[in-house]
Amino acid sequence: MGAYYDEVEIEDMVWDASRKLYHYPCPCGDRFEITRQQIRNFEDTATCPSCSLIIRVIYDPVSAVTLFLV
């Protein structure tokens, strides 16, 4: 994958329970998004639906999978 705009820890992202995803502000005015399913699949890239920027989401895969089993 190409260069990341930034690296962000999952703790710094906001959980949206209604949409079941984590989000983080994008400089374009929209927001980067990553779903729990993507994290379960060990993906670490959050995309912005409005522009081409991407960020790398930093998280502990073992803890994340354990937390999301519930």
Side-chain angles (χ1 to χ4, degrees):
M1 173 126 333
Y4 296 109
Y5 168 73
D6 200 358
E7 293 187 348
V8 177
E9 294 196 24
I10 196 147
E11 293 85 6
D12 295 330
M13 299 182 81
V14 176
W15 172 246
D16 183 335
S18 64
R19 297 185 62 209
K20 298 187 186 222
L21 55 78
Y22 286 92
H23 61 86
Y24 188 80
C26 180
C28 79
D30 204 346
R31 60 191 188 175
F32 297 102
E33 301 176 341
I34 189 169
T35 65
R36 279 189 171 176
Q37 186 60 47
Q38 289 173 287
I39 294 168
R40 279 190 201 105
N41 293 336
F42 303 105
E43 296 178 34
D44 66 352
T45 302
T47 58
C48 175
S50 297
C51 72
S52 62
L53 293 178
I54 57 173
I55 58 171
R56 180 168 179 247
V57 180
I58 310 296
Y59 63 92
D60 175 15
V62 174
S63 296
V65 170
T66 304
L67 288 172
F68 298 150
L69 289 176
V70 242

